[in-house]
Structures are given as C-alpha cells and as structure tokens.
Amino acid sequence: MSTRELPVPDGLAGERVDAALSRLLGVSRTRAAELAQSGAVLVDGRPVGKSDRLVGGSWLEVDLREVDGEAAAVDPQPVPGMRIVHEDEDVVVVDKPVGVAAHPSPGWTGPTVVGALAATGRRISTSGAAERQGVVHRLDVGTSGLMVVAKSERAYTELKRAFKERTVEKVYHAVVQGHPEPTTGTIDAPIGRHPGADYRFAVTAAGKPSITHYEVLEMVPAASLVEVHLETGRTHQIRVHMSAVRHPCAGDLAYGADPALAARVGLRRQWLHAVRLGFDHPGTGQWLEVSSTYPEDLAAAWAVLRDGA
C-alpha cells in the first residue's frame, strides 16, 4: 500500500501532526516530522506541517513511499471482537481475540492490538520501539485474553518495572491433555529456543529461568482444566512447560498435542486463555484486577470434553 488514507479519529483531534503520525504509523516522531516537512502528509487535500493541529473527522492522506525503507509498522485497523475491559488516562486493558498479535513484527501481516488501538485514536505511550509503543507484555497470536497497554509515559515505566519485579498477577486457564500429577505444583525449568526449530521453544539448560505454578480445577476423561499463575513471562512458557511434563495444551499441535483429539473437539489452536490480570495501578497505586470469560471456541471445546469426547 503506497498511501494510507483515513478520517482523523476524534481521539486525535487537537494533536500535532508529528505526534499523531508517530502513533498511527509506528514511526519515530522525528521521522513523522520529516514526512510532514516533505509534503507527504495531506489533510483535506492540503499539505500540513509537523506542528499543525489535526481536526477530528478531516481526511488524512500519507504517502508511504516517503518512508524511505522505514516500514509503517502499525496498520491502524479495527479488530472485530476485541473488547476494552478497562480504560483510564494511564492504561487500557483489552480482551484480545485469537489471531491477533500484540504488535507488528517481521513476517506478520495480520491484525494487532497496537493497530486496533491506533485506529480508534487512543493516546498510547510513545515509550518503547516504534512498533511496540505502549506494550509492556504480550500474548501469543494463538492465545486469547487480557492484555494491558500503557497510555501514559508514567504508566509505561511503572508497568515495565512491575512485570520485571513480578508483582503483576497473570492468571491463565488451560485445558491440557491427561491428568497432571500432582494436581497442584510448580514447574521450574529454563526455557530457550528449540535446538531444531527456530519458531518453537523448549526446556533447555541454556534457557532463561522460567517458573509456572498450576492447579487442576477439574478433570474429565481425556483432559484437565488447569489454572496457571506465571511467575516469569517467557515466550510460549505455559505451552512449553505443560508439554515438558507430558500434558500439552489441547489443540497445541506445535507442542505435541493429539491432532485427533483437537479435531474431535473442534480446536484450531491451543486451549489457553488469559482469564485474570491484576496490578498496582501506575497512577493511583491501588490494586486493579480485571477478568475475562472463555471465548466461544474454547468454551465449546471444553463442553465437548466434559461430555466425554
């Protein structure tokens, strides 16, 4: 796409052109200013300068050929099914559907949380890399559930610190194959790149420290519903750890799940959902906790398993 065209969202009304473009396109504010100065940015058909203020509802056009190799990393497009669970001046918590990435990355052309928020004109923290502005933690594309994004610079700094110091409560529900024994336990095993496949991870001596706490909530003939608390936040951590103890998430074919079981219950991804997220609010200091119900596909699969599939 050589040109990006869209109406100026009301949330960006009054913003400087360079600041607005930085969020909408995922480029640095300096690069956004250069775009405006080069005449690549039109509002209602007329060139605008970097310090001009946007008017809500006016028509914005950006010539992306002027980006000179710096990819417009954030594609501001709405994401059907993505809900705003909580929002204030510091943070926005979303309930992310499956098939949506947290932020743009090389090779990913699908929808992103960052792009969806940009499409609504929400003011997101400019801290972090251009394509990950405001992102303080991530969920896999194939994992649904709760994710917090920082709107203010203060929130970004405080939340990054909270995740690093492990004071954020991250709770997931997973349906795993078989019956874990013991029914309550901790998996403490380092995770690193899989030695035979770059797109996968594995328990490996050279990996980073990774700690997963689990508790079986319910058992059915073929599987168990497990509540998982993450102490660390490695990529694919729950999937890797449950697979390592021979109880992979149902539907998780990349980590050893039974494809026949997945087909029987209609799963096209791993049964894994971020159900609860809690943290000290970066603005008020008070504990904020939000929760999410199972999406349709996971609820349906669990119902089939409970019926004895």
Side-chain angles (χ1 to χ4, degrees):
M1 184 186 296
S2 60
T3 304
R4 180 72 47 77
E5 300 183 23
L6 71 159
V8 174
D10 289 340
L12 291 182
E15 282 274 351
R16 283 173 54 113
V17 167
D18 53 1
L21 285 183
S22 177
R23 286 210 304 277
L24 284 173
L25 300 180
V27 297
S28 67
R29 188 159 174 173
T30 299
R31 191 67 189 94
E34 291 172 351
L35 284 173
Q37 290 171 333
S38 71
V41 184
L42 305 180
V43 173
D44 290 336
R46 292 189 295 273
V48 291
K50 64 179 183 180
S51 59
D52 289 343
R53 302 284 174 171
L54 293 176
V55 176
S58 54
W59 193 252
L60 177 66
E61 299 174 66
V62 184
D63 187 348
L64 297 182
R65 291 173 298 183
E66 296 295 328
V67 176
D68 293 334
E70 182 178 358
V74 177
D75 188 5
Q77 55 179 298
V79 171
M82 191 176 92
R83 297 190 305 112
I84 303 297
V85 179
H86 172 88
E87 184 174 19
D88 54 49
E89 63 181 5
D90 288 304
V91 299
V92 55
V93 181
V94 304
D95 195 343
K96 184 187 83 67
V98 65
V100 179
H103 57 74
S105 60
W108 177 253
T109 58
T112 67
V113 170
V114 171
L117 294 175
T120 63
R122 282 181 165 81
R123 291 176 169 84
I124 303 301
S125 165
T126 57
S127 297
E131 74 279 6
R132 298 195 299 271
Q133 289 180 353
V135 174
V136 292
H137 72 126
R138 294 174 289 180
L139 293 179
D140 295 343
V141 171
T143 300
S144 52
L146 298 167
M147 179 178 156
V148 60
V149 178
K151 295 177 66 177
S152 68
E153 309 311 313
R154 170 182 61 182
Y156 183 88
T157 300
E158 292 299 321
L159 286 174
K160 288 292 281 188
R161 180 184 297 117
F163 276 98
K164 182 177 181 180
E165 295 176 353
R166 304 178 184 178
T167 60
V168 177
E169 183 180 48
K170 298 172 286 183
V171 183
Y172 296 74
H173 280 187
V175 170
V176 302
Q177 293 182 190
H179 305 134
E181 183 62 40
T183 56
T184 299
T186 296
I187 305 169
D188 185 350
I191 292 176
R193 288 281 179 185
H194 193 287
D198 286 344
Y199 64 93
R200 291 171 56 199
F201 292 79
V203 171
T204 171
K208 295 180 179 179
S210 308
I211 301 174
T212 301
H213 307 284
Y214 73 89
E215 178 183 0
V216 175
L217 301 178
E218 185 176 350
M219 292 182 182
V220 297
S224 302
L225 177 65
V226 178
E227 181 165 293
V228 178
H229 292 248
L230 288 185
E231 189 169 322
T232 53
R234 309 303 176 203
T235 303
H236 296 184
Q237 179 172 322
I238 296 172
R239 301 167 64 189
V240 171
H241 272 172
M242 297 314 298
S243 177
V245 296
R246 295 187 169 87
H247 296 288
C249 295
D252 195 359
L253 306 188
Y255 286 100
D258 179 3
L261 177 64
R264 271 205 310 276
V265 301
L267 274 176
R268 297 179 178 273
R269 50 119 165 188
Q270 66 266 15
W271 206 115
L272 182 60
H273 185 68
V275 296
R276 196 158 69 248
L277 182 64
F279 52 88
D280 290 324
H281 191 280
T284 66
Q286 296 180 340
W287 184 253
L288 174 65
E289 187 170 295
V290 291
S291 59
S292 168
T293 57
Y294 304 152
E296 211 170 278
D297 63 330
L298 299 189
W302 177 235
V304 174
L305 285 166
R306 294 179 89 182
D307 288 340

PDB file of all heavy atoms in Angstrom, residues 14-15 18 26 43 71 74 91 101 104 106 110 113 127 152 173 175 198 209 216 228 232 238 256 260:
ATOM      1  N   GLY A  14      -6.870  17.755  17.764  1.00  0.00           N
ATOM      2  CA  GLY A  14      -6.037  18.679  18.530  1.00  0.00           C
ATOM      3  C   GLY A  14      -4.593  18.256  18.655  1.00  0.00           C
ATOM      4  O   GLY A  14      -3.749  19.027  19.126  1.00  0.00           O
ATOM      5  N   GLU A  15      -4.260  17.022  18.221  1.00  0.00           N
ATOM      6  CA  GLU A  15      -2.878  16.542  18.284  1.00  0.00           C
ATOM      7  C   GLU A  15      -2.025  17.190  17.201  1.00  0.00           C
ATOM      8  O   GLU A  15      -2.498  17.478  16.105  1.00  0.00           O
ATOM      9  CB  GLU A  15      -2.844  15.024  18.076  1.00  0.00           C
ATOM     10  CG  GLU A  15      -3.239  14.234  19.294  1.00  0.00           C
ATOM     11  CD  GLU A  15      -2.068  13.989  20.240  1.00  0.00           C
ATOM     12  OE1 GLU A  15      -0.920  14.297  19.849  1.00  0.00           O
ATOM     13  OE2 GLU A  15      -2.312  13.509  21.352  1.00  0.00           O
ATOM     14  N   ASP A  18       2.954  15.558  13.834  1.00  0.00           N
ATOM     15  CA  ASP A  18       4.050  14.610  14.042  1.00  0.00           C
ATOM     16  C   ASP A  18       3.734  13.599  15.141  1.00  0.00           C
ATOM     17  O   ASP A  18       4.024  12.407  15.017  1.00  0.00           O
ATOM     18  CB  ASP A  18       5.378  15.327  14.312  1.00  0.00           C
ATOM     19  CG  ASP A  18       5.311  16.344  15.437  1.00  0.00           C
ATOM     20  OD1 ASP A  18       4.229  16.501  16.048  1.00  0.00           O
ATOM     21  OD2 ASP A  18       6.346  16.991  15.713  1.00  0.00           O
ATOM     22  N   GLY A  26       3.511   4.065  13.516  1.00  0.00           N
ATOM     23  CA  GLY A  26       4.549   3.304  14.193  1.00  0.00           C
ATOM     24  C   GLY A  26       5.952   3.743  13.865  1.00  0.00           C
ATOM     25  O   GLY A  26       6.899   2.982  14.036  1.00  0.00           O
ATOM     26  N   VAL A  43      -4.034  16.904   4.651  1.00  0.00           N
ATOM     27  CA  VAL A  43      -5.284  16.907   5.412  1.00  0.00           C
ATOM     28  C   VAL A  43      -6.314  17.661   4.587  1.00  0.00           C
ATOM     29  O   VAL A  43      -6.101  18.824   4.225  1.00  0.00           O
ATOM     30  CB  VAL A  43      -5.109  17.565   6.802  1.00  0.00           C
ATOM     31  CG1 VAL A  43      -6.464  17.702   7.485  1.00  0.00           C
ATOM     32  CG2 VAL A  43      -4.169  16.737   7.669  1.00  0.00           C
ATOM     33  N   ALA A  71       9.545   0.889   7.664  1.00  0.00           N
ATOM     34  CA  ALA A  71       8.202   0.332   7.471  1.00  0.00           C
ATOM     35  C   ALA A  71       7.184   1.027   8.345  1.00  0.00           C
ATOM     36  O   ALA A  71       7.441   1.367   9.485  1.00  0.00           O
ATOM     37  CB  ALA A  71       8.210  -1.161   7.785  1.00  0.00           C
ATOM     38  N   VAL A  74       2.706   0.031  12.164  1.00  0.00           N
ATOM     39  CA  VAL A  74       1.385  -0.101  12.752  1.00  0.00           C
ATOM     40  C   VAL A  74       0.320   0.174  11.705  1.00  0.00           C
ATOM     41  O   VAL A  74       0.252   1.264  11.157  1.00  0.00           O
ATOM     42  CB  VAL A  74       1.208   0.882  13.936  1.00  0.00           C
ATOM     43  CG1 VAL A  74      -0.188   0.777  14.490  1.00  0.00           C
ATOM     44  CG2 VAL A  74       2.231   0.594  15.015  1.00  0.00           C
ATOM     45  N   VAL A  91      -3.902   3.680  31.482  1.00  0.00           N
ATOM     46  CA  VAL A  91      -3.845   2.333  30.909  1.00  0.00           C
ATOM     47  C   VAL A  91      -5.120   2.002  30.149  1.00  0.00           C
ATOM     48  O   VAL A  91      -6.188   2.578  30.387  1.00  0.00           O
ATOM     49  CB  VAL A  91      -3.632   1.256  32.004  1.00  0.00           C
ATOM     50  CG1 VAL A  91      -2.319   1.475  32.738  1.00  0.00           C
ATOM     51  CG2 VAL A  91      -4.805   1.212  32.972  1.00  0.00           C
ATOM     52  N   ALA A 101      -2.034 -10.325  16.908  1.00  0.00           N
ATOM     53  CA  ALA A 101      -0.727 -10.172  17.553  1.00  0.00           C
ATOM     54  C   ALA A 101      -0.751  -8.960  18.481  1.00  0.00           C
ATOM     55  O   ALA A 101      -1.573  -8.052  18.318  1.00  0.00           O
ATOM     56  CB  ALA A 101       0.357 -10.006  16.500  1.00  0.00           C
ATOM     57  N   PRO A 104       3.078  -5.256  15.691  1.00  0.00           N
ATOM     58  CA  PRO A 104       3.642  -5.705  14.414  1.00  0.00           C
ATOM     59  C   PRO A 104       5.018  -6.341  14.609  1.00  0.00           C
ATOM     60  O   PRO A 104       5.754  -6.003  15.533  1.00  0.00           O
ATOM     61  CB  PRO A 104       3.755  -4.411  13.601  1.00  0.00           C
ATOM     62  CG  PRO A 104       2.803  -3.465  14.241  1.00  0.00           C
ATOM     63  CD  PRO A 104       2.812  -3.809  15.698  1.00  0.00           C
ATOM     64  N   PRO A 106       8.237  -8.631  12.037  1.00  0.00           N
ATOM     65  CA  PRO A 106       8.600  -9.087  10.691  1.00  0.00           C
ATOM     66  C   PRO A 106       7.843 -10.358  10.312  1.00  0.00           C
ATOM     67  O   PRO A 106       7.789 -11.312  11.075  1.00  0.00           O
ATOM     68  CB  PRO A 106      10.107  -9.354  10.815  1.00  0.00           C
ATOM     69  CG  PRO A 106      10.555  -8.468  11.928  1.00  0.00           C
ATOM     70  CD  PRO A 106       9.417  -8.432  12.888  1.00  0.00           C
ATOM     71  N   GLY A 110      -1.097  -9.785   9.811  1.00  0.00           N
ATOM     72  CA  GLY A 110      -2.452  -9.776  10.358  1.00  0.00           C
ATOM     73  C   GLY A 110      -2.695  -8.609  11.303  1.00  0.00           C
ATOM     74  O   GLY A 110      -1.848  -7.728  11.468  1.00  0.00           O
ATOM     75  N   VAL A 113      -2.997  -5.599  18.297  1.00  0.00           N
ATOM     76  CA  VAL A 113      -3.609  -4.791  19.360  1.00  0.00           C
ATOM     77  C   VAL A 113      -3.213  -3.329  19.192  1.00  0.00           C
ATOM     78  O   VAL A 113      -4.040  -2.420  19.282  1.00  0.00           O
ATOM     79  CB  VAL A 113      -3.184  -5.305  20.750  1.00  0.00           C
ATOM     80  CG1 VAL A 113      -3.619  -4.338  21.847  1.00  0.00           C
ATOM     81  CG2 VAL A 113      -3.773  -6.695  21.008  1.00  0.00           C
ATOM     82  N   SER A 127       6.773   5.441  24.583  1.00  0.00           N
ATOM     83  CA  SER A 127       7.968   4.731  25.029  1.00  0.00           C
ATOM     84  C   SER A 127       8.051   3.370  24.352  1.00  0.00           C
ATOM     85  O   SER A 127       7.040   2.786  23.979  1.00  0.00           O
ATOM     86  CB  SER A 127       7.938   4.545  26.549  1.00  0.00           C
ATOM     87  OG  SER A 127       7.957   5.795  27.203  1.00  0.00           O
ATOM     88  N   SER A 152       0.098   6.365  29.206  1.00  0.00           N
ATOM     89  CA  SER A 152       0.975   7.466  29.618  1.00  0.00           C
ATOM     90  C   SER A 152       2.403   6.976  29.770  1.00  0.00           C
ATOM     91  O   SER A 152       2.654   5.778  29.926  1.00  0.00           O
ATOM     92  CB  SER A 152       0.485   8.061  30.949  1.00  0.00           C
ATOM     93  OG  SER A 152       0.664   7.115  32.005  1.00  0.00           O
ATOM     94  N   HIS A 173      -6.192 -19.896  32.189  1.00  0.00           N
ATOM     95  CA  HIS A 173      -6.804 -21.211  32.232  1.00  0.00           C
ATOM     96  C   HIS A 173      -6.370 -21.962  30.989  1.00  0.00           C
ATOM     97  O   HIS A 173      -6.333 -21.393  29.888  1.00  0.00           O
ATOM     98  CB  HIS A 173      -8.327 -21.111  32.302  1.00  0.00           C
ATOM     99  CG  HIS A 173      -8.838 -20.825  33.678  1.00  0.00           C
ATOM    100  ND1 HIS A 173     -10.175 -20.828  33.999  1.00  0.00           N
ATOM    101  CD2 HIS A 173      -8.182 -20.534  34.840  1.00  0.00           C
ATOM    102  CE1 HIS A 173     -10.326 -20.543  35.288  1.00  0.00           C
ATOM    103  NE2 HIS A 173      -9.138 -20.356  35.812  1.00  0.00           N
ATOM    104  N   VAL A 175      -6.703 -25.974  29.090  1.00  0.00           N
ATOM    105  CA  VAL A 175      -7.160 -27.360  29.083  1.00  0.00           C
ATOM    106  C   VAL A 175      -6.007 -28.185  28.550  1.00  0.00           C
ATOM    107  O   VAL A 175      -5.547 -27.960  27.422  1.00  0.00           O
ATOM    108  CB  VAL A 175      -8.428 -27.545  28.231  1.00  0.00           C
ATOM    109  CG1 VAL A 175      -8.725 -29.037  28.038  1.00  0.00           C
ATOM    110  CG2 VAL A 175      -9.619 -26.861  28.892  1.00  0.00           C
ATOM    111  N   ASP A 198      13.467 -22.925  14.983  1.00  0.00           N
ATOM    112  CA  ASP A 198      13.541 -21.546  15.473  1.00  0.00           C
ATOM    113  C   ASP A 198      12.201 -20.996  15.947  1.00  0.00           C
ATOM    114  O   ASP A 198      12.151 -20.111  16.805  1.00  0.00           O
ATOM    115  CB  ASP A 198      14.097 -20.617  14.378  1.00  0.00           C
ATOM    116  CG  ASP A 198      15.589 -20.796  14.187  1.00  0.00           C
ATOM    117  OD1 ASP A 198      16.226 -21.389  15.078  1.00  0.00           O
ATOM    118  OD2 ASP A 198      16.108 -20.348  13.149  1.00  0.00           O
ATOM    119  N   PRO A 209      15.614 -18.604  33.169  1.00  0.00           N
ATOM    120  CA  PRO A 209      14.819 -19.138  34.273  1.00  0.00           C
ATOM    121  C   PRO A 209      13.323 -18.910  34.020  1.00  0.00           C
ATOM    122  O   PRO A 209      12.911 -17.812  33.635  1.00  0.00           O
ATOM    123  CB  PRO A 209      15.302 -18.337  35.477  1.00  0.00           C
ATOM    124  CG  PRO A 209      16.685 -17.904  35.108  1.00  0.00           C
ATOM    125  CD  PRO A 209      16.656 -17.669  33.625  1.00  0.00           C
ATOM    126  N   VAL A 216      -4.965 -28.004  39.157  1.00  0.00           N
ATOM    127  CA  VAL A 216      -6.041 -28.635  38.400  1.00  0.00           C
ATOM    128  C   VAL A 216      -7.379 -28.231  39.014  1.00  0.00           C
ATOM    129  O   VAL A 216      -7.612 -28.423  40.214  1.00  0.00           O
ATOM    130  CB  VAL A 216      -5.890 -30.168  38.395  1.00  0.00           C
ATOM    131  CG1 VAL A 216      -7.091 -30.817  37.704  1.00  0.00           C
ATOM    132  CG2 VAL A 216      -4.599 -30.576  37.697  1.00  0.00           C
ATOM    133  N   VAL A 228      -3.359 -21.539  35.815  1.00  0.00           N
ATOM    134  CA  VAL A 228      -1.913 -21.328  35.771  1.00  0.00           C
ATOM    135  C   VAL A 228      -1.577 -19.909  36.212  1.00  0.00           C
ATOM    136  O   VAL A 228      -2.187 -18.941  35.731  1.00  0.00           O
ATOM    137  CB  VAL A 228      -1.365 -21.571  34.349  1.00  0.00           C
ATOM    138  CG1 VAL A 228       0.134 -21.307  34.312  1.00  0.00           C
ATOM    139  CG2 VAL A 228      -1.657 -22.993  33.890  1.00  0.00           C
ATOM    140  N   THR A 232       7.215 -15.974  35.821  1.00  0.00           N
ATOM    141  CA  THR A 232       8.021 -15.336  34.786  1.00  0.00           C
ATOM    142  C   THR A 232       7.162 -15.232  33.528  1.00  0.00           C
ATOM    143  O   THR A 232       6.042 -15.723  33.504  1.00  0.00           O
ATOM    144  CB  THR A 232       9.286 -16.159  34.494  1.00  0.00           C
ATOM    145  OG1 THR A 232       8.902 -17.506  34.206  1.00  0.00           O
ATOM    146  CG2 THR A 232      10.230 -16.154  35.690  1.00  0.00           C
ATOM    147  N   ILE A 238       3.764 -21.343  29.091  1.00  0.00           N
ATOM    148  CA  ILE A 238       2.804 -22.353  29.534  1.00  0.00           C
ATOM    149  C   ILE A 238       2.802 -23.538  28.584  1.00  0.00           C
ATOM    150  O   ILE A 238       2.802 -24.708  28.998  1.00  0.00           O
ATOM    151  CB  ILE A 238       1.398 -21.743  29.653  1.00  0.00           C
ATOM    152  CG1 ILE A 238       1.386 -20.659  30.730  1.00  0.00           C
ATOM    153  CG2 ILE A 238       0.363 -22.827  29.981  1.00  0.00           C
ATOM    154  CD1 ILE A 238       0.083 -19.872  30.796  1.00  0.00           C
ATOM    155  N   GLY A 256       3.091 -30.984  20.671  1.00  0.00           N
ATOM    156  CA  GLY A 256       2.838 -32.383  20.954  1.00  0.00           C
ATOM    157  C   GLY A 256       1.422 -32.792  21.272  1.00  0.00           C
ATOM    158  O   GLY A 256       1.183 -33.933  21.694  1.00  0.00           O
ATOM    159  N   ALA A 260      -5.911 -35.851  16.730  1.00  0.00           N
ATOM    160  CA  ALA A 260      -7.228 -36.495  16.679  1.00  0.00           C
ATOM    161  C   ALA A 260      -8.157 -35.899  17.735  1.00  0.00           C
ATOM    162  O   ALA A 260      -9.342 -35.648  17.468  1.00  0.00           O
ATOM    163  CB  ALA A 260      -7.083 -37.997  16.879  1.00  0.00           C
TER     164      ALA A 260
END
